[in-house]
Amino acid sequence: MSKRTETKAGTVSRRAFLGGGATVVAMFALDAAPGSKMARAIAANLPVDTSGGPVNGWILVNADNSVSIAFGGAEMGQGILTGLAQAAAEELMVAWSQVRTQVAPTSQSYITGGSFGIRANFLKMRIAGAQAREVLLAAAAATWGIDASACSVSDGVITNTVTSATLTYAQVAKAASALTPSASPTLTDASKFRMVGRSMARLDLPSKVDGSAVFGIDVRVPGMLYAAVKNCPTIGGTLARTPATPAGAIAVVPLGNAVAVVASNTWAAFKAASSLSVAWTIPTAAAQLTTSTISAQAQTLMATGTAGSPAAERVGDAPGAYGTAVTRIESTYQLPYLPHVCMEVLNCTASVTPTSCEVWVPTQAASWVQATAMAITGLPASAVTVHPTLLGGGLGRKIEQDYVSQAIKVSKAVGKPVKLTWRREEDLSHDQYRPMGLVRVRLGADSGGRLTSIATRTVAPSPLAQRGWMAPTGNDNVEGAEGLPYAAANRLVEYVKHPAAVPVGFWRSVGNSINCFAVESALDELAVALKQDPLAYRRSLLAGDPRTLAVLDRAAADIGWNTAPAKGVARGIALSNGFGSIVALAVEVSQPTAGVMKVNRVACAVDCGLAVNPGQVESQMQGGIIQGIGTAFWGQTTFAKGVASSRNFSNTRMLLMKETPSITVSILQSGLESLGGIGEVAVPPTAPALANAWFKLTGARLRSLPFFPGANRMDD
Amino acid sequence: MTAMKYNVNGSTYQFDADPGMPLLWVIRDIIGLTGTKYGCGVEICKACTVWIDGSPEKSCDMNASEGVGRKITTIEGLSATPVGVRLQNAFIDCQAPQCGYCQSGMLMAAAKLVTSNSKPSDAQIDSALGNICACGTYPRVKQAIKKATGQPT
Ligand code: FES
Ligand code: FES
């Protein structure tokens, strides 16, 4: 993964960055052959009882016959640690109670994002498990002098079917680790899965109910100091001069666009940082970074801006078909910058010496952390050790390196281990935000109401362009607009880059959350114009896509679409197809007091191919919907001359338990061949489903997010 | 700096601290019990909830000197109470935590609720658990509290 990143950073899309490809998948398992460098590395990195041994780079058998499965991703609540362990354990044929996990070395890590965890690693982990099982069986067979086919295995105990003698995995692990595993081990047939497809208990949860889980912010290294940062409040501003070390602090470290204060505990560092009076050099361009200016620029770009070429999608002649359509809808939707709001603020602990660098960090990208450390310290990879911790939420924010590089620089400057923590105020006002967006949708239908033309034009800043990875068509900015399942002979998906310099990044579901709101709202508007039921109209456009239709139908059935809602309640529906999965949401809303939306009920249907852990799929749907409701209602960051509005939860309102509707989740499974991601998919359809229901209830169409910007105070 | 003596989870801790330091940071940085979490520092998110003499308090909202002479219970001490264990088991049975960051605060609030109300209603759970969870674990947390109190979920 890191190799791909370094060599292709200039040209590849985020998808390629995050996804890994088939070659990588195969390589991991093969490279981890016993005795290989990788196997040794893992053995050296994993603090296990060595009387067992590694049987390949991913699997260790411990002396107590438990197995340790290496995990190379980021566990941030989405359950991927457990899902991948299930894949390996399934093939290993051990009991769930025997399964442990260990952090994989950085060389075996993958970038956690794009909902690729299962898609990119599921087969890889199955192969690793199957390889391990095969060499363990072969070692036992050799001990007994029989053919491996005369051995059976259950719960990590191998039985000689001739003599009924048994050997545990632990007893043969050493011998097994000297054998060369097959490049194409025999995998369990999906119809015989015992663990995959079941809601196995998450392996990380016991530590999350007794305070023992170690998130990045909990790391404690002997002799460490504590740092807080004050980032320049204005985007693009830099430190004019290094301020004097304030009372109660140990040191002040200049960081270009920020300054760090080092103290003997977090609070002293926070206090000193927030009281620090700092002179900043503010670029004149910052004056342009005001929400009203950025919005006006977006309007101009919508009218006259040049779209990226070639268009992300062009089929037939959408403008021509729109021109001759009998029924036309043209609507423009507006979306704000949005902060990530992980519950665990950004933090990183680093210990830099002249010859080594260790970093403990909640990160979605361990290999990028290593690269960051190498660039700052000049040390080789072999001298840099990254310890990825559990993440108190990631949501795309913890893929970034800003907080990581700050900690490494501060430790280097003071010559001691340092834990650097951002106050919540810094975390919210210096995010790399979900881009704002202006999306115009033009839909045309013929005299029979059939959709003949669909054209979207998205104006938004681009996370890829800001990083110099820009693809000409807009790439992530058109997710949720391209590849729509609805039948229409003429299609055009355009993207116009907005140049605003507000830092933007990858926010759970990326372009999908922007474009899905526009497309699913506009389809509703067209159904209304055609005097058709929004569900029936969508169904008519999905006749050729039974998989998507089944998901839509399930959500509709679960909400009881064909029965009348209670008085004062209205329903809305929306569909999304990102990350290889399909999600439909049907919602019921009411208006308890004028202008206030209450979400009474949500019915979610999802098809992610195979639900490796249905319980976790349900969790991710619930969580995505809850985040989707909160952000649709209140989520935004505005800017005034380059200064972000978001401060703390006081003006960044989050949905609470008392506001959470009942949510049902139905999981449809179209099979292992169409494995999809689940971490992000529930967010995009939430806002349009609510807006569509609100229109039904009130006759007012919500085309701008958030719906209720004035109600964003949590302490109201 | 002031010399202080604390009772946390039944153990005694002696240390010097700035009397103005919030209790949260005394617990995390000085005593070294990191299960209690920083979420906002401004008394809104409740990630920092601990028990002071048996009642739930936001530890970012108290200063170090206010912890002296009180019986402080943190998430690390919850396992010593039967109600706490029941809730921890129910949280696991219902697979409630996602990232887990807010869950210490959730559990401290839930344990107090269940201690004083053996069969809390939905509305009572809603009002006792005003904790922010960015992951959206609310449905399962509620389910876990119902399960722990023997109510239909
Ligand atoms: S940290 Fe105390 S309420 Fe948020
Ligand atoms: S479980 Fe992640 S914030 Fe609540």
Side-chain angles (χ1 to χ4, degrees):
Chain A
M1 206 62 229
S2 56
K3 229 176 277 160
R4 292 167 67 90
T5 304
E6 285 154 24
T7 54
K8 293 192 179 173
T11 52
V12 300
S13 72
R14 170 175 174 265
R15 256 183 217 134
F17 267 98
L18 303 179
T23 51
V24 175
V25 168
M27 187 187 82
F28 271 158
L30 298 179
D31 271 14
S36 72
K37 213 169 125 218
M38 200 171 282
R40 285 200 301 278
I42 219 173
N45 270 277
L46 305 184
V48 295
D49 188 325
T50 49
S51 50
V55 294
N56 65 26
W58 292 97
I59 315 287
L60 283 141
V61 177
N62 301 316
D64 64 359
N65 211 35
S66 63
V67 294
S68 293
I69 297 168
F71 172 61
E75 176 53 59
M76 45 194 175
Q78 81 282 43
I80 189 66
L81 173 96
T82 303
L84 293 182
Q86 278 177 255
E90 176 74 58
E91 300 291 350
L92 253 182
M93 298 187 181
V94 290
W96 193 237
S97 58
Q98 290 172 271
V99 177
R100 317 274 179 270
T101 62
Q102 297 282 354
V103 176
T106 304
S107 57
Q108 270 175 280
S109 68
Y110 67 91
I111 307 297
T112 307
S115 292
F116 271 109
I118 287 289
R119 283 180 289 167
N121 300 290
F122 183 69
L123 180 60
K124 180 169 81 186
M125 296 312 293
R126 284 179 68 199
I127 290 173
Q131 284 183 327
R133 182 196 68 231
E134 287 187 353
V135 290
L136 288 159
L137 279 170
T143 306
W144 288 319
I146 61 171
D147 192 84
S149 62
C151 297
S152 69
V153 60
S154 172
D155 293 354
V157 178
I158 304 162
T159 301
N160 178 332
T161 56
V162 181
T163 64
S164 300
T166 60
L167 283 167
T168 65
Y169 276 0
Q171 287 172 306
V172 295
K174 238 186 202 129
S177 70
L179 302 178
T180 302
S182 158
S184 50
T186 305
L187 298 177
T188 304
D189 189 82
S191 66
K192 302 223 167 64
F193 282 160
R194 305 158 303 122
M195 226 169 249
V196 169
R198 291 180 51 198
S199 299
M200 307 311 291
R202 272 179 49 182
L203 298 165
D204 51 334
L205 292 202
S207 74
K208 290 177 173 177
V209 299
D210 66 4
S212 64
V214 177
F215 299 90
I217 203 170
D218 303 325
V219 166
R220 292 166 68 85
V221 176
M224 89 181 173
L225 299 174
Y226 297 76
V229 279
K230 192 178 183 97
N231 294 292
C232 179
T234 307
I235 293 163
T238 50
L239 205 53
R241 71 194 82 88
T242 305
T245 303
I250 294 166
V252 162
V253 181
L255 295 166
N257 59 359
V259 56
V261 180
V262 183
S264 58
N265 60 68
T266 311
W267 178 72
F270 277 9
K271 202 167 88 152
S274 54
S275 68
L276 209 56
S277 145
V278 186
W280 304 101
T281 305
I282 308 296
T284 49
Q288 296 303 306
L289 296 179
T290 293
T291 295
S292 55
T293 310
I294 293 169
S295 299
Q297 276 176 309
Q299 298 285 356
T300 305
L301 288 166
M302 179 62 79
T304 59
T306 307
S309 179
E313 187 174 336
R314 185 193 296 273
V315 178
D317 174 17
Y322 179 75
T324 57
V326 174
T327 307
R328 280 182 263 187
I329 286 292
E330 176 183 313
S331 281
T332 303
Y333 304 87
Q334 196 170 331
L335 298 94
Y337 288 103
L338 210 49
H340 290 80
V341 203
C342 301
M343 277 312 288
E344 179 196 26
V345 292
L346 295 175
N347 68 87
C348 177
T349 302
S351 178
V352 180
T353 74
T355 55
S356 69
C357 175
E358 266 190 284
V359 187
W360 297 259
V361 61
T363 181
Q364 296 175 238
S367 59
W368 294 3
V369 170
Q370 188 178 47
T372 300
M374 288 163 66
I376 295 169
T377 61
L379 292 166
S382 57
V384 176
T385 310
V386 180
H387 306 276
T389 65
L390 290 169
L391 288 77
L395 302 168
R397 179 64 176 96
K398 288 174 183 162
I399 208 162
E400 308 294 355
Q401 299 298 306
D402 47 355
Y403 63 109
V404 175
S405 66
Q406 288 181 342
I408 295 168
K409 285 175 185 167
V410 174
S411 172
K412 188 171 173 227
V414 300
K416 292 227 168 71
V418 171
K419 172 157 72 181
L420 178 138
T421 308
W422 285 27
R423 295 165 65 229
R424 173 61 68 193
E425 289 79 0
E426 294 292 339
D427 187 275
L428 289 177
S429 61
H430 290 83
D431 204 339
Q432 303 197 22
Y433 301 86
R434 197 277 308 273
M436 58 74 67
L438 191 66
V439 187
R440 187 188 69 201
V441 186
R442 285 181 174 157
L443 303 175
D446 65 15
S447 57
R450 278 177 297 269
L451 186 65
T452 52
S453 160
I454 177 161
T456 60
R457 185 172 160 94
T458 301
V459 178
S462 159
L464 294 172
Q466 278 193 358
R467 288 158 175 75
W469 307 342
M470 186 60 187
T473 54
N475 216 308
D476 289 10
N477 292 92
V478 296
E479 287 176 339
E482 62 175 347
L484 295 172
Y486 302 111
N490 303 285
R491 303 159 171 273
L492 178 63
V493 177
E494 291 183 306
Y495 168 66
V496 182
K497 188 176 87 172
H498 193 306
V502 171
V504 290
F506 307 106
W507 189 96
R508 193 182 196 176
S509 84
V510 196
N512 285 284
S513 77
I514 295 176
N515 295 304
C516 181
F517 174 61
V519 168
E520 287 295 314
S521 294
L523 262 177
D524 226 69
E525 297 198 46
L526 179 60
V528 170
L530 293 167
K531 300 195 169 36
Q532 292 207 33
D533 173 73
L535 170 67
Y537 190 59
R538 282 181 175 77
R539 295 193 79 248
S540 74
L541 303 177
L542 292 169
D545 187 345
R547 185 181 173 206
T548 302
L549 188 58
V551 177
L552 185 71
D553 280 347
R554 186 56 187 265
D558 286 352
I559 204 94
W561 192 270
N562 291 326
T563 62
K567 197 170 171 323
V569 173
R571 296 191 185 123
I573 197 159
L575 183 67
S576 168
N577 69 339
F579 311 99
S581 294
I582 304 163
V583 177
L585 288 194
V587 302
E588 282 189 354
V589 306
S590 59
Q591 187 174 195
T593 49
V596 173
M597 187 190 301
K598 176 173 193 283
V599 188
N600 301 51
R601 209 153 66 87
V602 178
C604 168
V606 54
D607 182 344
C608 55
L610 175 80
V612 173
N613 186 316
Q616 286 316 302
V617 174
E618 185 192 78
S619 250
Q620 285 306 298
M621 296 305 109
Q622 290 172 336
I625 290 162
I626 288 166
Q627 186 185 26
I629 296 171
T631 50
F633 279 13
W634 311 300
Q636 70 170 337
T637 298
T638 59
F639 294 87
K641 294 191 171 144
V643 179
S645 62
S646 301
R647 284 287 166 273
N648 204 316
F649 292 118
S650 48
N651 73 351
T652 304
R653 185 166 170 186
M654 308 287 284
L655 202 75
L656 292 175
M657 185 185 282
K658 66 178 181 204
E659 296 152 336
T660 298
S662 113
I663 300 170
T664 59
V665 178
S666 289
I667 301 173
L668 287 74
Q669 313 222 31
S670 51
L672 188 51
E673 307 69 41
S674 39
L675 210 51
I678 55 145
E680 308 178 72
V681 284
V683 178
T686 306
L690 296 174
N692 294 342
W694 186 250
F695 174 81
K696 182 87 183 161
L697 185 72
T698 66
R701 181 61 67 177
L702 299 168
R703 296 194 187 89
S704 179
L705 288 173
F707 299 152
F708 309 111
N712 69 335
R713 294 194 63 81
M714 278 211 89
D715 46 2
D716 277 355
Chain B
M1 287 296 210
T2 308
M4 299 188 192
K5 191 155 111 177
Y6 266 34
N7 176 336
V8 184
N9 303 329
S11 299
T12 302
Y13 296 87
Q14 278 181 292
F15 52 88
D16 292 337
D18 183 326
M21 179 187 286
L23 185 65
L24 167 65
W25 296 110
V26 175
I27 292 170
R28 286 183 54 83
D29 285 355
I30 297 182
I31 293 174
L33 295 172
T34 55
T36 303
K37 295 296 191 264
Y38 166 74
C40 68
V42 296
E43 305 128 49
I44 298 176
C45 75
K46 303 191 180 171
C48 64
T49 304
V50 299
W51 292 351
I52 304 292
D53 295 332
S55 62
E57 299 287 348
K58 288 168 271 193
S59 61
C60 70
D61 191 25
M62 298 180 66
N63 61 39
S65 51
E66 290 176 284
V68 175
R70 318 288 286 274
K71 201 168 154 258
I72 301 169
T73 309
T74 69
I75 184 70
E76 289 89 349
L78 193 66
S79 320
T81 68
V83 162
V85 171
R86 237 175 36 236
L87 278 162
Q88 287 170 328
N89 289 338
F91 271 53
I92 291 174
D93 286 348
C94 298
Q95 296 280 288
Q98 288 186 32
C99 82
Y101 195 79
C102 72
Q103 299 287 310
S104 299
M106 289 273 188
L107 277 154
M108 296 310 286
K112 177 58 199 174
L113 170 68
V114 171
T115 302
S116 56
N117 181 346
S118 62
K119 299 260 186 265
S121 67
D122 278 16
Q124 288 166 331
I125 296 171
D126 283 347
S127 84
L129 275 86
N131 306 54
I132 295 176
C133 174
C135 295
T137 62
Y138 305 130
R140 288 184 172 198
V141 166
K142 187 180 273 187
Q143 187 192 4
I145 294 171
K146 295 230 150 176
K147 180 163 187 166
T149 50
Q151 304 188 75
T153 53

